[in-house]
Amino acid sequence: MDLNDADFIPVTIQDIPLIQSYLSKANYEESNHNIVNLFQWMKQYPLWQYHTDHYLLLLGVHKGRLFSYMPLCESKYFDEAILKDKSIFNQFGIPFELSCFTEAEKDKVLSILPMAYETCEEEASDYVYEADKLRTLSGGKLQKRRNHYNAFLRMTEGRRVVEPLTKENKDEVKDFLNQWKTDSTDEYFLYEKEGVAAILDLIGILPYQGLLIRIDQEIKAFLIGTKTSDRMAQINIEKADPSIRGLYQAIEVEFLKRYYTEATLVNREDDMGLESLRQAKRALDPLMMIRKYRIREKQ
């Protein structure tokens, strides 16, 4: 299949303003429909785009299978976009497959295409938290996290510096990233590091904010986040020296106190099906989960 025959074109960094404008129209709160995530995983999940004045369609490839994301548009154009999407798949005689659909959008698709069926992908569910709780670490359920944070403040008093991520220090951040989990041979972490480095190179081009913490002049943690919707901030990338108690708590608290202070919710993305990550995210007392669905045609 040649996507260019269907008027699709490969997504490049020149498309960032275009995609962001359509993301703003859609106002989705699901983590995969986020400009940083889309570009972070571009090498593993190549993207093509097709757009009209009403909507933008994004197509990706995963393990050789073509799929489509939720259409980026105002709700009144959703049906039109889905039917166009399906017609393109039909044109090439391949099964219509949609991924990363939230429950409301999944239900819309099934009302339009009653012969389609859904699969809930539990390991892909996003964890969403009250922003003020993460900023202040308030409440009994966050007591242990608050203790770690306070211990960090005491231990590093006079030794730590918090500063914005900038073009001037991003190469130092990349050096820190290269040293992070150097013993890991897990394919996911290797791809993730490569994607994070690409995001760092797009500072000032992608609409994100970044923060880092130095201890004794050396970078020991950094965090990159974005505004996902009118009420939600998203933590896209968070790396810290795991040997320093309270550092992960500190970088998150400092980031949320400085950036996206109007956000009432924080999306900390999914747990990838990893039990250790699942336990850590559940311990943060999520307010809600955003469940995601894959939708396919019945054959």
Side-chain angles (χ1 to χ4, degrees):
M1 170 181 178
D2 185 352
L3 290 174
N4 293 316
D5 289 343
D7 296 325
F8 276 90
I9 58 174
V11 170
T12 70
I13 61 173
Q14 282 72 39
D15 294 313
I16 289 173
L18 174 73
I19 294 172
Q20 188 60 24
S21 70
Y22 280 87
L23 282 169
S24 297
K25 292 177 183 180
N27 206 36
Y28 292 139
E29 295 181 335
E30 189 276 327
S31 66
N32 296 92
H33 293 76
N34 174 280
I35 195 71
V36 168
N37 271 9
L38 290 169
F39 278 81
Q40 180 180 344
W41 297 100
M42 184 87 73
K43 188 167 184 180
Q44 285 69 46
Y45 304 99
L47 283 175
W48 291 263
Q49 62 95 353
Y50 169 86
H51 70 277
T52 70
D53 289 343
H54 292 171
Y55 57 79
L56 185 145
L57 302 176
L58 286 174
L59 272 78
V61 177
H62 178 53
K63 296 182 178 178
R65 293 177 65 96
L66 189 69
F67 70 90
S68 188
Y69 289 89
M70 291 192 287
L72 309 185
C73 59
E74 297 175 47
S75 59
K76 63 184 177 181
Y77 298 122
F78 185 92
D79 292 11
E80 177 186 341
I82 288 293
L83 292 174
K84 174 62 177 179
D85 216 355
K86 177 170 167 46
S87 74
I88 293 170
F89 278 72
N90 290 347
Q91 176 184 344
F92 289 93
I94 56 177
F96 191 34
E97 186 163 328
L98 307 171
S99 185
C100 305
F101 272 61
T102 56
E103 188 153 5
E105 280 65 36
K106 174 263 297 182
D107 289 344
K108 289 181 187 178
V109 172
L110 296 181
S111 70
I112 303 167
L113 306 173
M115 294 302 290
Y117 68 97
E118 69 189 75
T119 304
C120 183
E121 302 187 313
E122 289 290 346
E123 73 282 356
S125 298
D126 290 338
Y127 291 75
V128 178
Y129 304 85
E130 293 178 66
D132 282 343
K133 281 190 175 181
L134 295 189
R135 288 187 187 102
T136 61
L137 300 180
S138 59
K141 291 187 177 181
L142 297 183
Q143 179 67 55
K144 184 181 289 186
R145 194 170 177 86
R146 191 161 63 248
N147 290 344
H148 289 318
Y149 174 61
N150 289 332
F152 171 81
L153 294 181
R154 291 193 300 271
M155 179 180 66
T156 61
E157 188 171 0
R159 301 168 50 211
R160 69 179 178 273
V161 175
V162 181
E163 63 185 76
L165 173 62
T166 65
K167 292 179 181 179
E168 286 68 35
N169 59 32
K170 61 105 171 173
D171 286 336
E172 286 184 87
V173 174
K174 289 173 77 171
D175 289 340
F176 167 75
L177 176 68
N178 289 334
Q179 298 303 313
W180 184 78
K181 284 199 174 185
T182 52
D183 58 339
S184 177
T185 57
D186 184 281
E187 186 179 64
Y188 169 82
F189 286 111
L190 296 177
Y191 285 148
E192 184 195 28
K193 277 180 142 182
E194 190 173 31
V196 173
I199 295 303
L200 288 167
D201 284 335
L202 292 174
I203 188 168
I205 300 173
L206 281 170
Y208 66 75
Q209 298 287 354
L211 196 72
L212 60 91
I213 293 179
R214 296 181 190 268
I215 301 174
D216 299 328
Q217 290 81 52
E218 291 188 10
I219 294 175
K220 293 295 183 180
F222 74 98
L223 190 152
I224 288 172
T226 45
K227 182 178 179 181
T228 300
S229 74
D230 292 340
R231 64 176 182 166
M232 182 181 286
Q234 181 169 322
I235 294 177
N236 300 95
I237 298 162
E238 186 178 15
K239 305 298 175 197
D241 184 333
S243 69
I244 301 175
R245 181 187 178 189
L247 182 53
Y248 270 105
Q249 288 82 6
I251 189 69
E252 189 171 293
V253 167
E254 294 295 338
F255 182 86
L256 292 173
K257 282 183 175 179
R258 292 171 185 238
Y259 301 116
Y260 310 121
T261 55
E262 75 286 356
T264 58
L265 299 173
V266 176
N267 188 326
R268 296 191 79 249
E269 303 186 350
D270 58 66
D271 60 34
M272 303 178 296
L274 300 175
E275 187 58 33
S276 60
L277 198 53
R278 180 179 296 117
Q279 290 179 7
K281 294 197 172 189
R282 286 179 178 174
L284 278 175
D285 192 25
L287 177 68
M288 64 180 180
M289 306 291 291
I290 298 177
R291 289 186 164 77
K292 308 177 195 181
Y293 298 83
R294 188 174 292 269
I295 305 168
R296 298 183 176 95
E297 285 184 299
K298 293 177 181 176
Q299 300 301 302

